[in-house]
Amino acid sequence: MNLGIYSWGHERRYNDFPTYFRNLFSERVQKVSIDAGFTCPNRDGSKGVGGCTYCNNKTFKPTYCNLENSVSSQVQKGIDFFAKKYKSMKFLAYFQAYTNTYAPLDDLKLLYEEALQHPKIVGLVISTRPDAVYPELLDYLAGLSEKVYVMVEFGVESHLDRTLESINRGHTFAESVWAMEETAKRGINNCAHMILGLPGERHEDLMEQARVISQLPVKNLKLHQLQIHKRTVLEKQYCESPERFRLYTAEEYTDLVVDYLELLNPAIIVERFISQAPHDMLIAPKWGLKNFEFVAKVEKRLAERDTWQGRLF
């Protein structure tokens, strides 16, 4: 830090994604979600059945994402939705639902390139699992990223294999490390998605997670609080044994995030701190906070503690 300017080049106390994105693009850029009909290897029997214990994809899928609509149609509907709010902007096609690299490479190319045909689409964000990418696919994405913005978002969730097993992920943390390293060495933007508060994980585990993630070639990071959603295995487990769960209050989680940020590599860009499920799908915790309201809480707490991302890195 120098005269209030941190190593990431501005005065905010963490390396935030909106500032990075504004500097990367000359105009406003928005993600439009796409459901291309994928499944997951822990759903179809390849590595398991039932999916992740916490997962209900309906909690984050916009209404325009409908399998009856083609990729092109979903892109257009998403653009039309945001065009009502903003007159001039570009878009990223966000392949979001389930595992969006879980198909033959030729099929993936058709889907991705169909989305890129729209003149307002300037790149792709591809949500997937670390065990569902492979060298040939990554080589293709590396070539694509020389022409348009490409981000591969990996559901890492935890650095502890015992946790990954308990939530039925079907992959190990070593596979996450491999995926991060392979994307980074090809120059592909990557993002690690982590859930804070999974059953059995203590505060010291999460602080160690921050240290471990900081040693990996992670470009972006998404942190989400654990939420119990309706119609999930986690809902059943929570109802049967609520004592197994450490559900944070908003104030507790704010302090947890600040503790995490202090240990986090300052080069890592932080995309978000929380997830927002529709109220009628959420069992707990019910904070009633929007993303920007929680960001304000974190920034206030960082200032109160006179600390910043990477202070203890």
Side-chain angles (χ1 to χ4, degrees):
M1 184 177 70
N2 182 25
L3 299 176
I5 303 298
Y6 297 86
S7 61
W8 43 87
H10 56 77
E11 296 180 357
R12 296 188 79 171
R13 289 175 178 260
Y14 72 99
N15 192 355
D16 71 299
F17 181 70
T19 301
Y20 165 77
F21 232 46
R22 282 195 298 270
N23 291 333
L24 184 64
F25 293 98
S26 59
E27 56 193 316
R28 185 181 180 91
V29 176
Q30 174 69 46
K31 296 176 186 175
V32 289
S33 294
I34 295 168
D35 184 344
F38 291 98
T39 183
C40 298
N42 64 345
R43 286 179 176 271
D44 69 0
S46 174
K47 292 196 171 181
V49 293
C52 303
T53 60
Y54 55 82
C55 183
N56 180 343
N57 259 259
K58 292 181 180 179
T59 60
F60 57 77
K61 191 170 70 171
T63 55
Y64 61 78
C65 288
N66 187 318
L67 292 178
E68 295 177 359
N69 297 323
S70 67
V71 166
S72 299
S73 176
Q74 291 181 55
V75 166
Q76 188 61 58
K77 287 177 182 292
I79 289 173
D80 291 344
F81 174 82
F82 287 106
K84 298 173 185 175
K85 298 182 179 181
Y86 308 103
K87 294 297 181 185
S88 177
M89 62 192 308
K90 296 292 187 180
F91 299 87
L92 299 173
Y94 186 13
F95 286 83
Q96 184 179 17
Y98 300 107
T99 303
N100 291 271
T101 58
Y102 193 44
L105 181 55
D106 287 344
D107 293 347
L108 296 174
K109 288 179 179 180
L110 290 173
L111 292 169
Y112 300 156
E113 291 170 21
E114 180 181 349
L116 289 169
Q117 289 300 309
H118 196 288
K120 289 192 174 183
I121 295 292
V122 295
L124 303 174
V125 179
I126 303 166
S127 177
T128 190
R129 294 161 51 99
D131 60 338
V133 295
Y134 44 92
E136 294 81 6
L137 167 63
L138 296 178
D139 290 343
Y140 162 72
L141 293 177
L144 202 58
S145 67
E146 295 176 359
K147 307 169 190 173
V148 296
Y149 179 86
V150 177
M151 165 68 73
V152 182
E153 182 180 297
F154 293 107
V156 178
E157 317 311 1
S158 175
H159 71 301
L160 297 175
D161 284 343
R162 69 170 190 266
T163 299
L164 296 173
E165 183 177 359
S166 73
I167 61 176
N168 197 38
R169 279 297 292 176
H171 66 78
T172 64
F173 182 63
E175 290 170 287
S176 296
V177 172
W178 179 88
M180 290 295 171
E181 291 176 343
E182 291 297 312
T183 46
K185 80 179 186 182
R186 288 172 171 81
I188 304 169
N189 296 300
N190 64 31
C191 177
H193 181 290
M194 312 299 296
I195 300 176
L196 304 188
L198 288 165
E201 296 197 348
R202 304 161 298 171
H203 186 271
E204 51 265 43
D205 293 322
L206 298 177
M207 296 304 98
E208 180 61 19
Q209 179 188 112
R211 296 184 184 97
V212 169
I213 292 297
S214 292
Q215 301 305 316
L216 298 178
V218 173
K219 181 73 175 285
N220 287 16
L221 179 67
K222 280 186 174 182
L223 299 177
H224 284 187
Q225 81 280 26
L226 178 68
Q227 293 184 312
I228 312 298
H229 297 150
K230 293 179 180 178
R231 296 184 292 281
T232 62
V233 173
L234 215 61
E235 175 192 13
K236 184 174 183 292
Q237 293 174 344
Y238 178 66
C239 292
E240 290 175 349
S241 305
E243 70 280 358
R244 292 181 53 210
F245 292 79
R246 172 71 166 88
L247 295 180
Y248 295 93
T249 66
E251 294 301 320
E252 291 170 337
Y253 187 72
T254 301
D255 280 317
L256 174 64
V257 165
V258 171
D259 292 345
Y260 198 106
L261 285 174
E262 286 185 317
L263 296 167
L264 189 66
N265 188 333
I268 295 175
I269 301 159
V270 182
E271 272 204 52
R272 62 186 306 150
F273 301 120
I274 64 170
S275 61
Q276 296 173 252
H279 188 267
D280 62 348
M281 295 185 185
L282 179 63
I283 294 174
K286 294 185 176 182
W287 295 344
L289 290 171
K290 296 187 181 298
N291 184 56
F292 75 90
E293 294 172 318
F294 189 81
V295 168
K297 290 175 71 67
V298 170
E299 293 190 319
K300 180 181 178 183
R301 193 62 49 85
L302 286 167
E304 289 170 348
R305 289 171 49 171
D306 191 23
T307 192
W308 55 89
Q309 179 180 337
R311 185 177 71 83
L312 302 177
F313 172 63

